Amino acid sequence: MERINIVPMPDKIEYLGGKFTVEACPLQTNIDPTLAKEEYILTADSNGISITGGSDQAVFYGKQTLRQMKGECPCVKISDKPAFEYRGFMLDCVRHIFSVDEIKKIVDAAASLKMNSFHWHLTDDQGFRAYSDRRPSATIDGSVRNRSEFGSLKENGAYGGYYTAKQMRDIVEYCAERYITVIPEFDVPGHCSALLHAYPSIGCTGMPVEIKTHQGIFEDILCAGKDETFEIVFDILEDLLEIFPSEYIHIGGDEAPKTRWKNCPDCQRRISQAGLANEEELQGWFTNEIVAFLKSKGRKAIVWNESLKSGLIGNDTVAQMWMDPKNHSVKFANNGGRIIVSDFFHYYCDYPYAMTPLNKTYKYKAVVRGIKNPCSVYGVEVPIWTEFINNFNRLCYMFFPRFAAVAETGWTKEENKNAADFCERFRCYSSILSQMGITAAPPHDWNPSPVARATGTVGFMNSNVRKKPKTK
Ligand code: ACM
Ligand code: ZN
């Protein structure tokens, strides 16, 4: 029997018998408050098409489903709702910058896949890309690096740029029209070389810090002992809060080495004055200062899983699990917290298909091992870091179809998922991506053979991963 191909797979499709022509049928939409906020029912036959949703957002999702139905289609009733509340993607606009128009294309794709969150990574060691009105130096001095040396991707000459408040507002508005919340990330206390370049006084040593030109984990992080650090961080956050109305703000917290804090009299004084046991607890304390600031403004924080090592993070904060060998995220979730799942080995789209084939991404279960209550999984997010991605075509190649696989995990119940079927449906969906100006990786690249996986992985490692990471 002929079927319709929808990505992400709806909860329930009933074939009613007979056919209708989509373009020839009028569309009627209704709101039914008895349905959940993101739930919709679409019925379509030769008498017409109707979408009833629990909200305007749900009706919008019904329209995204309809958009994937073309020409002569079987008559259907689709009853649909998401598996997870949070369905997001992350774009690193620090290592390489993407234009507002390019970002909007990715947002278009996310909306058509019924995602609802855009995590925008705006600050890091290699640049500070959000304009701050209160602290313009952060952006003016922190946004241009001297050159780029990301593994085999080397670009001579200064590389810089940032998003103005107007551009960021434009993105926020564009996303809101598509029911996508933009969550800006201001990554602290680590990954702050660009900010420290502008304000060396808020590092532990006070010495000049270069904006980094290569990837790595760097020892200069924000000093947790100086009050000035918080004055600057809160000023920048105030600016972000004026632009981004999201309930959550991402404050990073990943990969913050404690070398400087161990040797800093200010940090050590803070540890003893706050009655903390060690530098790990100092990171928990640092995070909670920002959480309290955000709370005073009616907002909450998302943090990368390393922040949980302190054991001091409260359940109001959401933890994003990316690499967590000690399972802090699972323990946090089982103690009443909520997590966003973005496992590095399965979801990071900056790694080649040889390392992370589509099937590996698709089959990863969002309710990760050890989770007692599935409701503690707030949702899933597909990240892309852009050290090795310096143009939009490459971004699209690396993101799609893995992006859609994670969108399907976020939307579709686990028992309704099927990897081979997803591949079939994605081939149809690619035509919609093409209309948006997005070209996905071709099907023969999605799931390389074992030999191609081995050679591709070795090739990527040799050309892009430093043998001995530099720390300075
Ligand atoms: C991360 O990949 N450092 C969150
Ligand atoms: Zn310090």
Side-chain angles (χ1 to χ4, degrees):
M1 185 189 69
E2 210 182 309
R3 66 166 198 172
I4 52 168
N5 292 298
I6 311 291
V7 182
M9 184 66 171
D11 199 30
K12 197 167 165 201
I13 303 181
E14 292 166 77
Y15 290 97
L16 306 173
K19 288 188 177 177
F20 75 107
T21 303
V22 178
E23 294 76 14
C25 284
L27 168 66
Q28 205 192 20
T29 62
N30 312 293
I31 302 288
D32 175 355
T34 65
L35 297 177
K37 184 169 161 260
E38 295 187 302
E39 180 177 7
Y40 71 91
I41 296 167
L42 183 158
T43 50
D45 58 29
S46 49
N47 296 323
I49 303 166
S50 110
I51 297 173
T52 303
S55 66
D56 289 336
Q57 182 177 0
V59 170
F60 177 81
Y61 292 148
K63 287 183 181 169
Q64 301 318 304
T65 295
L66 182 60
R67 188 173 178 191
Q68 295 185 46
M69 296 163 63
K70 283 214 168 55
E72 205 174 62
C73 279
C75 301
V76 281
K77 176 175 180 192
I78 297 175
S79 312
D80 202 9
K81 58 178 190 263
F84 293 96
E85 195 177 330
Y86 183 100
R87 306 175 302 278
F89 69 98
M90 189 213 80
L91 178 61
D92 167 14
C93 287
V94 172
R95 277 51 176 262
H96 285 102
I97 303 165
F98 294 90
S99 70
V100 167
D101 283 347
E102 288 167 340
I103 294 172
K104 285 181 177 174
K105 289 181 187 174
I106 303 292
V107 169
D108 287 342
S112 89
L113 292 164
K114 306 184 177 82
M115 283 181 162
N116 60 11
S117 304
F118 165 28
H119 167 185
W120 197 1
H121 188 77
L122 285 164
T123 72
D124 215 304
D125 296 303
Q126 295 79 8
F128 195 98
R129 307 251 174 264
Y131 182 71
S132 169
D133 212 22
R134 289 173 176 78
R135 297 286 177 171
S137 246
T139 329
I140 304 302
D141 300 322
S143 61
V144 185
R145 61 177 180 257
N146 290 334
R147 62 192 171 279
S148 307
E149 309 169 302
F150 297 116
S152 58
L153 183 56
K154 297 193 196 317
E155 292 151 306
N156 286 328
Y159 184 95
Y162 58 86
Y163 300 97
T164 62
K166 189 163 176 274
Q167 287 174 319
M168 291 187 283
R169 284 206 171 91
D170 181 15
I171 293 281
V172 167
E173 203 177 301
Y174 192 82
C175 285
E177 284 161 7
R178 287 154 184 80
Y179 300 95
I180 290 178
T181 302
V182 187
I183 299 173
E185 180 180 354
F186 175 20
D187 196 351
V188 292
H191 288 291
C192 275
S193 303
L195 182 61
L196 287 167
H197 180 70
Y199 298 101
S201 59
I202 61 171
C204 291
T205 65
M207 298 298 286
V209 174
E210 283 307 298
I211 303 180
K212 299 299 183 274
T213 55
H214 54 272
Q215 68 173 150
I217 299 173
F218 304 97
E219 284 178 352
D220 284 305
I221 69 172
L222 299 186
C223 178
K226 293 178 179 151
D227 292 340
E228 191 195 357
T229 302
F230 295 94
E231 286 160 22
I232 291 175
V233 167
F234 292 167
D235 274 355
I236 291 169
L237 280 171
E238 287 255 22
D239 284 329
L240 293 176
L241 296 183
E242 281 171 11
I243 292 166
F244 297 95
S246 54
E247 180 184 10
Y248 286 96
I249 304 292
H250 205 305
I251 55 168
D254 56 324
E255 299 177 321
K258 305 297 179 308
T259 329
R260 296 281 185 258
W261 286 5
K262 282 193 168 79
N263 297 307
C264 170
D266 295 316
C267 285
Q268 292 305 315
R269 192 174 329 108
R270 185 79 82 190
I271 287 179
S272 51
Q273 279 172 359
L276 304 169
N278 51 36
E279 290 74 24
E280 213 55 77
E281 286 199 2
L282 183 57
Q283 184 170 348
W285 177 89
F286 182 99
T287 304
N288 284 338
E289 286 295 295
I290 301 175
V291 168
F293 171 80
L294 290 175
K295 192 172 177 185
S296 75
K297 310 281 174 190
R299 312 292 185 98
K300 295 179 186 162
I302 301 178
V303 294
W304 294 110
N305 60 247
E306 288 94 320
S307 305
L308 301 177
K309 285 189 201 162
S310 64
L312 299 178
I313 304 304
N315 289 344
D316 262 5
T317 296
V318 169
Q320 184 165 10
M321 191 208 86
W322 74 280
M323 190 192 278
D324 193 2
K326 297 231 165 101
N327 279 330
H328 294 289
S329 311
V330 169
K331 281 174 216 146
F332 179 70
N334 289 342
N335 283 321
R338 282 195 305 170
I339 61 168
I340 293 168
V341 171
S342 292
D343 185 74
F344 160 86
F345 292 104
H346 296 85
Y347 280 6
Y348 273 32
C349 287
D350 34 315
Y351 288 90
Y353 288 86
M355 282 174 73
T356 312
L358 174 61
N359 278 348
K360 185 172 168 185
T361 304
Y362 186 84
K363 290 180 181 173
Y364 189 63
K365 292 194 167 70
V367 180
V368 292
R369 207 173 303 135
I371 291 285
K372 291 196 182 121
N373 178 359
C375 295
S376 59
V377 177
Y378 187 23
V380 291
E381 182 179 297
V382 59
I384 199 156
W385 302 96
T386 58
E387 285 91 343
F388 311 124
I389 299 172
N390 67 347
N391 64 74
F392 186 66
N393 282 347
R394 184 75 188 155
L395 179 75
C396 295
Y397 173 91
M398 296 301 277
F399 240 163
F400 297 93
R402 293 182 290 197
F403 187 107
V406 179
E408 180 146 311
T409 299
W411 184 271
T412 306
K413 280 202 196 98
E414 196 54 47
E415 61 264 34
N416 290 339
K417 285 178 60 191
N418 177 304
D421 188 65
F422 170 77
C423 290
E424 284 303 308
R425 284 180 287 113
F426 186 82
R427 283 167 193 254
C428 302
Y429 173 73
S430 316
S431 65
I432 291 187
L433 281 182
S434 303
Q435 288 163 21
M436 295 168 181
I438 292 176
T439 307
H444 67 264
D445 288 2
W446 297 351
N447 291 299
S449 68
V451 173
R453 286 197 61 185
T455 50
T457 301
V458 171
F460 179 79
M461 289 298 198
N462 283 344
S463 56
N464 291 326
V465 178
R466 284 169 175 273
K467 306 280 175 307
K468 192 167 177 294
K470 267 197 193 163
T471 52
K472 292 205 176 75

